[in-house]
Amino acid sequence: MSKKTVITFFLLTVGKMLLSQKTVSPSYADIRNKYENLEKEDHNALPYVSAFIEKAKKENNLEKLCLGYKDAVYFSQDTDAKLSYADSTIAAAFKSKKDELISDAYLGKGIIYYFNLRKFQLASNEYVKAHQYAIKTDDEYLQNKIIYHLGVVKSYLGYYNKALQLFNKSIDFNENKVKDEVNANLRYNYCRGYLNSLHQMIICQRNLNQDAKADSLLTVGLAATKNKSEFTLERAYFLKCAGIIYYKNNQYNDALYYLKKALPILNQKNDFTWASVIHFYLGNIYLKNDDEKKGILELKKVDSIYNKHQFILPEATEAYMCLIDYYKKSKNEKEQLYYTNQLLEVNQGIRKDFAYLAEKIYEDVEIAGLIKEKYKLEKSINTQQVTIVLVIIFSVILVLFLIWRYQQREQNLKKRYAELIDRLNGIKKPEEALPGKEQSSVKTKGELPDDLVEMLKMKIQFFEDKNQFLEAGITVVKLATRFKTNPTYLSAFIHEHKGVNFSVYLMQLRINYITHKLNSDKNYPKFTIQALSEMCGIASRNNFTAHFKSINGIGIADFIKMKLKDNEREL
């Protein structure tokens, strides 16, 4: 072999090696194409995700590194691993110094706390951090996503009105975006955002007893997800809502149909929170249909979910009351004690995470009865001391809560009383407290003739100055006859010049009169409420007390009580 041939062969070999090395390193898109279409938490994606992360680290591409860590969160099955990757995402985002990456990283960690761990306060903290960085960016989609998740946490904590405001914003944003969006992926994301916000609004309205609004939104949700395979989970949520609404309306067969259609999808997606609620309602339906065996089995599934995840919604806790009652009737003290202890443990967890709902739990007298029942059961199986301690603790908490409630009420009463006294002392005559209506200088079609208006002004002024409104049984017809006009004209005049209808006008005059008397004449607070009612021309004591509070913001009994104390101090 000649020297020239050897050199040529060597150069070709080296060139081939160099070319092969150049084509070994795949692009980010090439790596991601191998796993991006896999199902959530599919561990088969993780080797490719690791390769993606390593490439980003080697090239110091912080934006791609954040994306790789987010993918690791998405495909990891272990919750601790998800949190670890979420922290890595936050660290990489801060290195990038890009607000949108930092915001998105905090949001991702908050979602893990919410969806995987049901730690709402921790989730809320992360969402708030995410929002602080999101508002520095122009990323409307990210900002809206955070608003939605904040709304979810507020809803679960029981702040339904505040949550509704956030979900309304989310719905408006997604509706406006989906109209003109041509990108299929973005359009899908906006649709999902809209449907999930709709579902959360139904939950809020149901808890606020706004049944008509909830029904209306549910109709929209079911129609929007019908025959849409890409929205199976969202449809399951609406089916679940339909089942619960049918249950509340005592339509148990329909409720059973919708709840059983929703359950398999929620189980498949591992949404144990709503699955436990469905098991509770299924259990009650079977019990109402006299299928005790199936009913108890469904209710026990609620407890199984709690034992596995250490979380259920307050709505599902009623399952324990049903189980306690069932085993009490069966005289099975061991099972009765077990579910009593479980309910107390569940309620303790709810008080930690659901600050707003916890107040309602303290007010519920059933807790006191539950503690008493627990005492009896534990006494029968020689565990008396534990129960006594619990009773004392709950009693102390209840007493402290009642004291706090009383103090709050007294403070509010004093504040409203002081405001009313200041208002009364600034008004010389009762009729000055009536709402006036500014008169327009332009005469509009349908106004009363000027001469009639002037006549009615004088007669109404005389009516007020002479306190003729105190006459019992006075009506617009009687007063119109006295004024030598017709009731229609008089009603129109009152409405135009006093800003209210005749009944309200008359009631305000009477209440303002008696309120001034109570404030200025020390003998008036000594009269009975019935006597005061008759003095101002109101026959019904109940109407009198209701209107007094409505107009003055404080009950008549409370006002008299505080006024008497003021009068005593002045002596």
Side-chain angles (χ1 to χ4, degrees), residues 128-384:
V128 169
K129 293 175 190 175
H131 188 255
Q132 289 170 351
Y133 285 94
I135 58 178
K136 300 176 185 178
T137 74
D138 296 325
D139 193 335
E140 292 181 317
Y141 177 74
L142 178 61
Q143 292 169 4
N144 178 73
K145 198 173 177 183
I146 295 167
I147 285 173
Y148 167 79
H149 283 286
L150 281 170
V152 171
V153 172
K154 288 185 181 297
S155 174
Y156 275 109
L157 292 175
Y159 302 107
Y160 300 116
N161 283 312
K162 292 181 181 179
L164 276 174
Q165 294 173 7
L166 296 176
F167 293 136
N168 267 315
K169 288 182 180 179
S170 181
I171 281 181
D172 288 343
F173 172 82
N174 286 297
E175 273 189 316
N176 289 331
K177 286 292 184 181
V178 81
K179 289 176 184 176
D180 303 318
E181 185 56 59
V182 293
N183 182 286
N185 288 331
L186 289 176
R187 185 177 179 83
Y188 170 74
N189 287 334
Y190 293 138
C191 285
R192 280 194 68 225
Y194 167 77
L195 293 171
N196 285 322
S197 298
L198 202 64
H199 168 234
Q200 293 296 336
M201 285 189 73
I202 293 170
I203 295 170
C204 292
Q205 287 168 343
R206 185 164 60 84
N207 281 286
L208 291 170
N209 296 317
Q210 297 175 359
D211 296 334
K213 291 182 179 179
D215 289 346
S216 177
L217 291 183
L218 179 57
T219 301
V220 174
L222 287 171
T225 55
K226 187 176 182 180
N227 300 323
K228 300 284 180 66
S229 58
E230 67 272 29
F231 298 125
T232 53
L233 179 59
E234 289 74 19
R235 181 161 183 80
Y237 289 142
F238 292 124
L239 292 171
K240 175 263 305 178
C241 289
I244 293 173
I245 288 173
Y246 277 119
Y247 176 87
K248 300 287 187 184
N249 292 327
N250 301 321
Q251 295 172 265
Y252 301 125
N253 289 334
D254 289 326
L256 195 64
Y257 170 79
Y258 283 101
L259 292 172
K260 291 179 78 171
K261 283 193 71 173
L263 185 58
I265 301 169
L266 296 178
N267 285 333
Q268 181 187 353
K269 300 294 184 180
N270 196 31
D271 193 337
F272 61 86
T273 301
W274 286 115
S276 66
V277 172
I278 289 180
H279 285 305
F280 161 65
Y281 282 108
L282 288 175
N284 274 277
I285 291 170
Y286 286 130
L287 289 176
K288 290 179 185 296
N289 290 336
D290 296 324
D291 195 337
E292 202 169 66
K293 186 177 180 180
K294 279 188 177 180
I296 295 302
L297 183 63
E298 290 292 337
L299 295 175
K300 284 186 174 182
K301 288 178 181 177
V302 177
D303 184 54
S304 297
I305 290 173
Y306 173 74
N307 287 334
K308 182 177 180 180
H309 300 283
Q310 291 298 294
F311 178 85
I312 55 172
L313 289 173
E315 191 170 1
T317 59
E318 291 182 41
Y320 287 102
M321 296 302 297
C322 297
L323 289 166
I324 291 166
D325 186 57
Y326 171 76
Y327 285 111
K328 183 177 182 180
K329 290 177 182 177
S330 304
K331 297 183 179 179
N332 187 334
E333 290 187 341
K334 186 177 179 181
E335 290 296 306
Q336 186 186 349
L337 178 59
Y338 168 77
Y339 288 112
T340 300
N341 283 326
Q342 286 292 91
L343 179 54
L344 289 171
E345 183 181 322
V346 168
N347 280 337
Q348 186 177 5
I350 289 172
R351 284 195 294 274
K352 287 179 182 178
D353 284 333
F354 294 80
Y356 177 78
L357 295 179
E359 292 181 7
K360 295 184 178 179
I361 291 171
Y362 281 127
E363 293 174 5
D364 194 342
V365 295
E366 289 185 1
I367 289 294
L370 187 63
I371 298 296
K372 185 177 180 181
E373 194 66 31
K374 177 180 169 68
Y375 170 75
K376 291 179 182 178
L377 290 168
E378 290 190 331
K379 184 177 180 181
S380 69
I381 55 176
N382 299 318
T383 54
Q384 190 175 15

Side-chain angles (χ1 to χ4, degrees), residues 402-418:
L402 292 173
I403 291 171
W404 176 80
R405 282 285 298 273
Y406 175 78
Q407 290 174 342
Q408 289 291 107
R409 181 179 182 276
E410 287 297 303
Q411 289 176 4
N412 288 334
L413 281 176
K414 287 178 182 177
K415 181 181 177 182
R416 289 196 292 268
Y417 174 77

Side-chain angles (χ1 to χ4, degrees), residues 4 57 74 107 226 230 277 284 351 441 477 491 548:
K4 185 177 181 182
K57 284 182 178 178
Y74 185 80
L107 175 61
K226 187 176 182 180
E230 67 272 29
V277 172
N284 274 277
R351 284 195 294 274
S441 59
V477 174
S491 294
F548 188 96

Side-chain angles (χ1 to χ4, degrees), residues 93-94 96-106 129-130 132-139 142 146:
F94 269 103
S96 75
K97 298 180 181 179
K98 292 184 178 180
D99 291 326
E100 62 269 22
L101 293 180
I102 298 172
S103 175
D104 192 49
Y106 276 126
K129 293 175 190 175
Q132 289 170 351
Y133 285 94
I135 58 178
K136 300 176 185 178
T137 74
D138 296 325
D139 193 335
L142 178 61
I146 295 167

